Every structure is written in C-alpha cells, then in structure tokens.
C-alpha cells in the first residue's frame, strides 16, 4: 500500500520560515540596539566620571600650590583641624606643674607694647609666644605645623593635606594612591567605596583620553611643586626654633583661638648665662601685597630706610654691668625707637659695634691694668690674658664670624626659595655676654615670626636683600678689627 503524506505547499513553508527568521532578526536587532545603547551610555558615563575625577584632582592640586595664604583660614573645618593638630602635639611635651609657672621672658626685645601680651618662659626650656586671635594666629600655627611635618616627613604629607583640606577624595594611580581604608571609616563607607571603584575603573579605561591626560599633567606638575615645597620647608626647619604645638586652648572653642593661647617653642636663650639678644625685622616691605593702604602707610612711616637696607633693628639687649644705663642684672636695653633713629648705613654699623663690643669683666680689666703697671713683658701679658681669659679685640670677632657662617646658610636657602614670601618676619641673634664662661663664643641666629608668610612663585628679593646687607655690615666689623 502506498502511504500518502500530506505536506504543506512549498510556498507556505517558505512564508512561515521567513516570518520566523524576521521575528528572530527583529528580536536580535532590538537586543543589539539595546545593548549598544547601554554600552554607549555606560561608556559616556565612565568618560564623564574620568574627566570629572581628573578635574577634581587638578583643582585640588591647584589649591595646594596656589599663590597666597598657605591655608584657607576662612573655612571653619580647616581652622578646627589646625587647632586640633597643634593642641594634640603639645600634649606630648607640655606637662604643667603648679610649682613652676610661666614667667615673662627677660630677654625679649621685640613685640613690646602696653597692649600686647609678653612672651613667657617655662621650665625646662620652653618659650611661650602669644598667639593672635584672628587669621594671623591660624596662619602661624599652620606654618609651624607644615615645618614640623616636612622635617619629619610624617605620612608622606597625608597629614598636612588632611589638615589643610580635610579628607581627600580617593585618588587613583595617576596622582595619589587610593586609600580605601580611610574611606571605609565614613558612615557611608560602602557607597563611598563603590564610587571609588567606579572612579578607578573610569580612570583606567580613559587614561589615554585627551582631556584626562591634560588634567593629569597639571596634577603631576602641582604634585612636583608640592614636593619641592616640602624640601624647602625641611631645610628651613633648621633655621627656626623648635615647635611643640600650642597650649592654653580649651577644647570647647575648637575653631577659634582664645586670648590665653600660646605657641609652645624652644627657648633660644636657655643655654646662655648672660644672653645678648638682637631682633632684626627683615625685608624691604613689612606688609602684604593685599594689605589696606593705611596699613602700608603706617608700616612705611615706621622706618623709611627699610626699603633701602632691607631690615631694621627692632631692639637689642646686651650685657655691660659698667654701663650707666645698665639694669640691676647688668643689661642694657635699646628699644625700637633707637632702631628707627638709625638713618644712615654708618649709624647702623655703629649700632652693631655697640652690640658686639667686647666687654671683659671688671675684675679682669683691673688685674690686667695692674699687670701693665708692674711692667710685665709682652710674653707675660699674653700668658696672663690666656690664663684670665681676657679678650683684647674691640669686637667679639669670634661671635661675628660664627653668625656670618649661619647667615650665609640662610642666604643660600633664600637664593633657592622660589615658593614662599616672608613679610614682617625677623631674625633673632643670641650670643653669650659673660666673658668668664667656657663657652663664651657660642652664638645662634634663628628666623621667627611667621604670621605673614605667603606662597608666591618668585624669589623673595626683599628678605634676601636684607640678609645680604646684614652680612656686608658684619664683614665690615671684621675688616675694621683686622685693620
């Protein structure tokens, strides 16, 4: 028997097959179109995230090295972080005792006024400098904190950056390392960590993006500038007093400086029995560029020769018990009015002669006079001078020579410094005035007063000019002694 199989007509089969293929193709096209749209959307989103992250990095880097004040003291959070860091630092060194209270520093020669607080001293070797309660106080604290961090290279500047700008965003390998541990400490740690992961992915995918590369170049250049600044601050720290934080700051006012707050510094005179001290206000200008015109006029009228000499004598105190104006301890004090009266170079040099004049003890002077009356030989006189430690030079040439060497180091630093501008900053000179001391030829010079330090990408010609003139005048004293 023949089995008859009913089959659809060929045309009908082709139509059904064509309809199925069209349906599959349509669905595939929709899937491809949807996938392409999602991919393009994701690609564009990641590109925008990469560029936004690169822009954030470049903006942050620009703020770190921009000209002007080192920190934005108008930000309450920045002020709070600065105070917290300084107060926390002081807790490691300052242990006040009821038996030993701070007392006024007798050797203070600058900043003396009826409306200003005195500089204090405390055991064992602390100097307490009053802080300004306004922006100047925050700026000085921030500068000392930067010096300290740069000197010890704490946490590769992470601590300084956190003080100045708060918690940084998680950064990728193009600039800084991503710190996910710090991000997890936030209340929204999971969300923040996820965002960081997307940012890292975006930056890795678009590392060759023209916009990202341009912004990353700016970030890298700013980071190099910041590292150069750190190196300058590290070198500068050897020319400044030791810094230990601030004291007298209650925790209840965490973002404002109180009138009882002091900078805790090292006492530069603690190792001297009779410290002779001189304060020089350095620079051709003692005001900032954006200062009010009344401030500029007031500063210029204080000492018209400031622009010519690059410095002025704020005050000096030397040991001379035979002087008619000596106090009960044998010291003579010349204040700021004396310094402002020095209108010529010769008068300034004469003032240095007075400060560095050799002053042997009255007992040794009398013994030497008796030896000369007894017709001692030159050899015997010289032997007696060595035995009695009598200096016959008119000026303290050993002290002056040592100070010249220290000043030359400071001069070298300012020749390399193209980042910071110092206004109304001082050099403090200290040497031993007691000629009977074994270490009578010891001296030190340090930079002090940093309330008006600003970042400026240029050589500080005013300060450098002042240091050069001081060196020239000191060298003149040496030449006069030799002649």
């Amino acid at each position: 028997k023949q089995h008859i199989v009913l089959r659809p007509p060929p045309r009908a089969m082709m139509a059904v097959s064509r309809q199925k293929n069209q349906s599959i193709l349509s669905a595939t096209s929709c899937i491809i179109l949807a996938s392409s749209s999602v991919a393009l959307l994701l690609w564009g989103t990641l590109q925008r995230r990469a560029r936004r992250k690169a822009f954030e990095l470049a903006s942050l880097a620009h703020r770190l090295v921009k000209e002007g004040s080192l920190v934005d003291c108008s930000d309450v959070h920045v002020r709070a972080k600065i105070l917290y860091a300084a107060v926390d630092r002081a807790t490691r060194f300052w242990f006040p005792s009821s038996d030993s209270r701070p007392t006024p520093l007798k050797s203070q020669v600058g900043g003396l006024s009826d409306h200003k607080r005195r500089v204090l001293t405390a055991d064992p070797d602390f100097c307490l400098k009053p802080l300004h309660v306004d922006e100047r106080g925050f700026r000085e604290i921030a500068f000392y904190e930067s010096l300290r961090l740069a000197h010890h290279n704490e946490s590769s500047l992470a601590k300084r950056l956190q003080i100045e700008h708060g918690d940084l965003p998680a950064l990728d390998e193009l600039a800084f390392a991503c710190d996910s541990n710090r991000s997890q400490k936030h209340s929204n740690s999971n969300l923040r960590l996820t965002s960081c992961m997307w940012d890292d992915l975006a930056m890795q995918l678009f590392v060759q993006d023209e916009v990202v590369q341009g912004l990353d170049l700016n970030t890298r250049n700013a980071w190099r500038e910041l590292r150069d600044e750190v190196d300058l601050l590290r070198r500068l720290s050897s020319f400044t007093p030791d810094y230990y934080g601030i004291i007298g700051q209650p925790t209840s006012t965490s973002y404002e400086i109180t009138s009882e707050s002091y900078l805790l510094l090292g006492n530069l005179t603690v190792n001297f029995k009779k410290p002779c001290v001189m304060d020089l206000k350095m620079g051709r200008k003692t005001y900032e560029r954006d200062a009010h015109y009344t401030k500029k006029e007031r500063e210029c009228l204080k000492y018209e020769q400031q622009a010519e000499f690059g410095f002025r004598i704020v005050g000096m105190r030397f040991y001379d018990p035979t002087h008619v104006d000596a106090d009960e301890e044998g010291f003579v004090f010349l204040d700021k009015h004396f310094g402002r009266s020095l209108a010529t170079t010769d008068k300034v040099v004469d003032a240095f002669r007075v400060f560095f004049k050799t002053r042997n003890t009255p007992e040794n002077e009398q013994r030497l006079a008796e030896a000369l009356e007894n017709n001692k030989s030159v050899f015997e006189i010289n032997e007696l001078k060595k035995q009695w430690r009598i200096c016959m030079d008119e000026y303290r040439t050993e002290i002056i020579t040592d100070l010249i060497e220290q000043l030359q180091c400071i001069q070298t630093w300012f020749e390399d410094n193209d980042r910071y501008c110092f206004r109304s900053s001082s050099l403090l000179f200290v040497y031993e005035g007691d000629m009977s001391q074994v270490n009578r030829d010891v001296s030190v010079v340090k930079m002090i007063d940093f309330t008006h330090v600003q970042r400026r990408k240029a050589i500080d010609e005013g300060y450098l000019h002042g240091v050069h003139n001081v060196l020239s005048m000191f060298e003149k004293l040496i030449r006069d002694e030799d002649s």
Side-chain angles (χ1 to χ4, degrees):
K1 298 181 180 179
Q2 292 183 350
H3 297 279
I4 299 175
V5 179
L6 299 178
R7 299 178 180 275
R11 291 184 178 180
M13 292 180 61
M14 292 177 61
V16 171
S17 176
R18 190 182 302 112
Q19 186 177 5
K20 289 183 179 180
N21 292 337
Q22 288 178 352
S23 299
I24 295 173
L25 181 61
S26 178
T28 304
S29 299
C30 291
I31 294 174
I32 293 175
L33 181 62
S35 301
S36 301
S37 300
V38 172
L40 289 174
L41 179 63
L42 180 60
W43 187 263
T45 302
L46 291 176
Q47 185 183 51
R48 287 191 295 272
R49 290 187 73 103
R51 292 181 176 182
R52 184 188 64 187
K53 174 58 66 174
F55 178 77
E56 290 177 356
L57 295 178
S59 299
L60 173 61
H62 174 72
R63 292 198 304 270
L64 291 175
V65 296
K66 70 177 182 179
E67 294 189 357
S69 178
L70 300 186
V71 295
D72 182 12
C73 296
S74 62
D75 190 333
V76 174
H77 300 289
V78 172
R79 296 204 304 265
K81 290 179 181 294
I82 291 174
L83 289 180
Y84 176 80
V87 171
D88 179 68
R89 185 181 301 280
T91 58
R92 312 172 203 170
F93 306 98
W94 178 250
F95 304 99
S97 174
S98 58
D99 299 334
S100 177
R101 294 182 177 274
T103 58
L105 182 65
K106 296 180 180 179
S107 58
Q108 180 182 355
V109 296
L112 295 171
S113 178
D114 294 336
H115 65 278
K116 292 183 179 180
R117 291 181 290 162
R118 288 290 304 268
V119 177
L120 305 178
T121 180
D123 294 334
D125 57 355
F126 292 122
C127 177
L128 282 61
K129 179 188 176 182
L131 273 171
H132 294 281
V133 298
D134 53 14
E135 180 181 341
R136 294 172 294 176
F138 288 103
R139 291 170 63 175
E140 187 160 28
I141 297 173
F143 185 79
Y144 271 111
E145 283 291 326
S146 298
L147 283 177
R148 187 77 175 186
L149 295 175
H151 178 69
H152 293 283
N153 196 23
E154 297 183 14
S155 304
S156 300
L157 284 181
K159 203 167 185 178
R160 173 191 167 186
L161 298 178
Q162 186 180 23
I163 289 174
E164 296 184 2
H165 300 277
D167 288 330
L168 299 177
L171 311 178
D172 75 306
E173 61 184 2
L174 291 177
F176 308 99
C178 178
D179 188 355
S180 59
N181 292 331
R182 180 179 60 193
S183 303
Q184 294 177 0
K185 295 181 181 179
H186 295 270
S187 58
N188 56 345
S189 59
N190 293 331
L191 180 61
R192 184 180 178 86
L193 184 59
T194 302
S195 178
C196 294
M197 293 173 59
W198 279 108
D199 287 339
D200 292 341
L201 176 61
M203 296 293 282
Q204 292 173 8
L205 289 176
F206 292 93
V207 68
Q208 299 297 330
D209 185 81
E210 182 179 353
V211 176
V212 173
Q213 284 186 334
L215 292 171
D216 176 59
L217 179 61
N218 295 337
T219 303
R220 289 179 180 273
N221 292 336
W223 177 240
R224 293 188 186 97
E225 290 183 20
L226 186 60
R227 287 190 297 182
D228 292 341
E229 289 185 8
V230 173
D231 182 63
L232 284 172
L233 291 175
R234 178 185 56 79
R235 293 168 53 193
L236 179 63
S237 62
S238 61
F239 307 133
T240 62
D242 293 332
Y243 166 71
Y244 304 105
I246 64 173
I247 63 172
Q249 180 71 25
T251 56
S252 58
T253 56
S254 58
Y255 56 88
E256 295 294 343
I257 298 176
T258 68
S259 58
E260 301 298 326
S261 298
Y262 290 86
L263 273 175
L264 192 62
L265 305 173
N267 186 355
L268 299 178
T269 65
V270 69
N271 295 321
F272 298 87
K273 185 177 180 180
K274 301 294 183 182
C276 298
V277 182
M278 179 172 61
D279 187 333
L280 301 184
K281 187 72 68 177
M282 302 301 296
R284 285 178 168 174
K285 298 179 181 179
T286 57
Y287 53 85
E288 298 177 4
R289 288 187 296 180
D290 55 352
H292 195 269
Y293 74 93
T294 56
K295 169 70 173 178
K296 296 179 179 180
E297 290 181 355
R298 188 168 61 252
E299 289 296 320
C300 291
L301 291 175
K302 286 182 179 179
Y303 190 58
E304 296 180 357
Q305 290 75 22
Q306 183 91 33
E308 176 186 354
F309 299 149
F311 71 92
R312 74 171 183 263
I313 298 177
V314 176
M316 63 172 63
R317 182 175 183 261
F318 53 87
Y319 181 66
D320 186 1
T322 62
H323 198 282
V324 294
D325 296 327
D327 58 18
E328 62 276 6
E329 295 184 2
F331 285 94
V332 179
F333 173 64
L334 300 176
D335 62 7
K336 58 184 179 182
H337 300 291
F338 167 78
R340 295 176 185 177
S341 67
L342 307 174
T344 64
T345 302
D346 292 337
K347 289 185 177 181
V348 176
V349 174
D350 289 340
F352 288 156
R353 288 193 177 100
V354 171
F355 182 68
F356 291 113
K357 182 180 179 181
T358 300
R359 299 174 180 91
N360 292 301
T361 61
E363 295 79 7
N364 283 341
E365 292 283 2
Q366 183 178 0
R367 294 164 70 180
L368 181 61
E370 293 176 353
L372 292 173
E373 291 177 358
N374 294 331
N375 296 323
K376 297 287 186 179
S377 65
V378 175
F379 175 79
E380 292 175 325
I381 292 294
N382 290 333
E383 290 299 317
L384 289 176
K385 290 178 184 178
K386 295 179 182 179
Q387 179 181 348
W388 297 335
R389 294 183 56 81
I390 296 177
C391 180
M392 296 306 296
D393 293 337
E394 185 178 0
Y395 311 117
R396 300 289 298 275
T397 54
E398 295 291 337
I399 295 294
I400 299 174
T401 302
D402 186 43
L403 290 174
I404 287 176
E405 293 177 358
Q406 297 180 57
L407 278 175
Q408 287 173 341
C409 295
I410 296 177
Q411 182 184 39
T412 301
W413 186 88
F414 272 95
E415 290 172 348
D416 297 335
N417 168 43
D418 58 353
R419 292 290 191 275
Y420 297 103
C421 175
F422 294 79
R423 293 288 184 265
S424 195
S425 183
S426 294
L427 285 176
L428 192 70
F429 298 81
V430 186
Y431 74 88
E432 180 59 68
D434 190 349
M435 296 296 292
S436 65
Q437 294 295 304
V438 177
N439 60 340
R440 67 183 187 183
D441 293 330
V442 175
S443 64
V444 64
V445 56
K446 295 289 184 180
M447 295 174 60
I448 59 173
D449 300 335
F450 304 109
T451 57
H452 297 283
V453 178
Q454 288 189 329
R455 183 183 286 108
R456 192 179 68 183
K457 298 178 181 179
I459 299 294
D460 192 347
E461 297 289 351
Y463 202 114
L464 191 60
H465 177 71
V467 173
H468 175 74
N469 283 339
V470 174
L471 280 170
S472 298
M473 295 180 185
F474 283 7
E475 291 168 352
K476 177 176 174 55
L477 296 180
I478 298 295
R479 290 195 301 269
D480 293 346
E481 182 66 36
D482 293 339
S483 61

